[in-house]
């Protein structure tokens, strides 16, 4: 069984900076981490590996510095990694990103694809399902528990607003996971040594067999027109009196602010 885990290296949320000219995140010189939801996807893959003997391959699309995230995945127990990197991929929206991942995954072979439910820098939760659509395979989102895995099917619990659904799917399948699924393991000393020595295999535009018009900014049907970090405001007002008096005061304030 082959398991592919798609991860993303994201800026530490306390260090987000934005290029005002391109409206893209500034990644150079900014501390980066593996997207937290993706750590749960790696852990899920490793737990399946321990039960079935599956091979776990972790991939990421990003700049050369994303190699650090792949080494961390190796230190956790991943068998293989791929860095999908090319200047042609820069500026990709979710569609173009999913297209690149799909072309790379096709080259690797797969039974189960695992992704975090969303990335904390974009929060779209679109890339995983889009990859599944490109591959024309089933996908199940918001996985909170994996109940059973065989060589032909998988049974999972899908988190819902009120409880959960039990869903069974044939393989191959793509799953996006939530933090309730597990607790990611810490890298072992042996894993850290292996990660330090590992040779990271890179895949560029030609290696994945993608067309230039379908990747990067050129291949993105959507573009960000404006993006900014919210400014914290210290102005606050406290309302006193009975509940009715506080509601009346709140309504007056909102009307003055033209919120209602």
């Amino acid at each position: 069984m082959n398991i592919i885990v798609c991860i993303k290296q994201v800026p530490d949320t306390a260090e987000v900076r934005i290029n005002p000219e391109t409206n893209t995140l500034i990644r150079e010189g900014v501390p980066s981490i593996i997207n937290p939801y993706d750590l749960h996807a790696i852990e899920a893959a490793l737990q399946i590996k321990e039960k079935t003997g599956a091979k776990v391959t972790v991939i990421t699309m990003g700049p050369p510095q994303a190699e650090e995230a792949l080494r961390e995945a190796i230190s956790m127990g991943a068998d293989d990694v791929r860095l999908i990197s090319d200047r042609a991929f820069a500026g990709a929206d979710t569609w173009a990103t999913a297209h690149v991942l799909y072309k790379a995954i096709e080259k690797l072979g797969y039974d189960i694809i695992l992704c975090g439910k969303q990335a904390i820098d974009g929060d779209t939760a679109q890339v995983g399902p889009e990859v599944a659509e490109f591959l024309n395979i089933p996908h199940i989102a918001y996985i909170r528990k994996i109940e059973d895995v065989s060589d032909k099917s998988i049974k999972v619990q899908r988190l819902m607003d009120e409880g959960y659904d039990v869903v069974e799917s044939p393989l191959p399948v793509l799953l996006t996971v939530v933090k309730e699924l597990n607790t990611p393991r810490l890298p072992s000393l042996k894993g850290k040594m292996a990660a330090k020595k590992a040779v990271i295999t890179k895949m560029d535009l030609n290696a994945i067999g993608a067309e230039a018009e379908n990747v990067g900014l050129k291949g993105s049907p959507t573009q960000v027109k404006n993006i900014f970090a919210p400014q914290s405001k210290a102005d606050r007002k406290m309302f006193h009196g009975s509940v009715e008096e506080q509601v009346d005061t709140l309504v007056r304030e909102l009307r003055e602010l033209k919120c209602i």
Side-chain angles (χ1 to χ4, degrees):
M1 178 180 291
N2 292 315
I3 303 175
I4 305 290
V5 185
C6 301
I7 69 170
K8 184 179 183 182
Q9 187 183 54
V10 297
D12 191 317
T13 51
E15 297 286 345
V16 172
R17 291 188 295 151
I18 298 163
N19 185 323
E21 296 181 359
T22 62
N23 286 322
T24 57
L25 296 175
I26 297 174
R27 299 183 183 274
E28 292 75 15
V30 177
S32 298
I33 58 174
I34 293 180
N35 179 53
Y37 290 107
D38 299 345
L39 290 172
H40 295 279
I42 295 173
E43 177 62 28
L46 295 176
Q47 290 182 10
I48 296 173
K49 171 187 173 180
E50 290 166 353
K51 294 178 180 178
T52 67
K55 177 184 177 181
V56 175
T57 302
V58 177
I59 68 172
T60 188
M61 185 191 96
Q65 73 181 53
E67 182 178 305
E68 300 169 8
L70 294 175
R71 292 192 184 278
E72 184 174 347
I74 294 172
S75 71
M76 292 176 67
D79 299 302
D80 196 9
V81 294
R82 292 287 189 278
L83 174 60
I84 308 165
S85 186
D86 196 305
R87 293 188 66 85
F89 301 153
D93 68 354
T94 61
W95 191 96
T97 297
H99 185 82
V100 169
L101 293 174
Y102 136 71
K103 297 295 284 188
I105 290 171
E106 272 195 325
K107 300 290 184 182
L108 299 174
Y110 57 91
D111 296 291
I112 300 173
I113 303 169
L114 289 161
C115 310
K117 74 160 185 168
Q118 63 194 63
I120 60 172
D121 58 352
D123 284 327
T124 65
Q126 294 175 353
V127 171
E130 286 177 338
V131 170
E133 288 299 310
F134 276 124
L135 291 169
N136 195 31
I137 62 174
H139 76 270
I140 311 171
Y142 308 115
I143 303 306
R144 52 156 267 174
K145 183 178 181 180
I146 297 175
E147 292 191 351
D148 186 51
V149 182
S150 71
D151 58 352
K152 294 184 179 179
S153 66
I154 189 168
K155 183 186 290 186
V156 299
Q157 294 181 9
R158 176 174 58 193
L159 185 65
M160 304 296 288
D161 289 337
E162 298 179 359
Y164 61 90
D165 292 337
V166 175
V167 183
E168 187 169 1
S169 171
L171 303 184
V173 66
L174 184 145
L175 311 175
T176 70
V177 308
V178 296
K179 62 183 181 180
E180 289 83 359
L181 177 62
N182 54 44
T183 300
R185 68 192 65 190
L186 295 174
S188 65
L189 178 59
K190 182 179 178 181
K192 288 182 178 180
M193 296 297 292
K196 188 174 291 188
K197 298 176 183 177
V199 176
I200 306 298
T201 301
K202 299 178 176 64
M203 301 176 75
D204 59 12
L205 181 70
N206 292 330
I208 66 173
E211 308 79 20
E213 61 270 20
N214 289 328
V215 304
L217 194 60
K218 185 185 296 185
S220 300
T222 63
Q223 295 184 14
V224 176
K225 292 299 182 182
N226 187 29
I227 186 171
F228 60 91
Q231 297 180 349
S232 60
K233 296 182 179 180
D235 53 325
R236 300 179 178 87
K237 291 185 178 181
M238 296 289 292
F239 301 146
H240 301 281
S242 66
V243 174
E244 291 78 9
E245 290 171 338
Q246 291 182 54
V247 170
D248 290 340
T249 305
L250 175 60
V251 170
R252 285 197 302 272
E253 291 286 342
L254 292 175
R255 282 175 175 164
E256 289 177 7
L257 294 172
K258 297 182 179 179
C259 294
I260 59 175

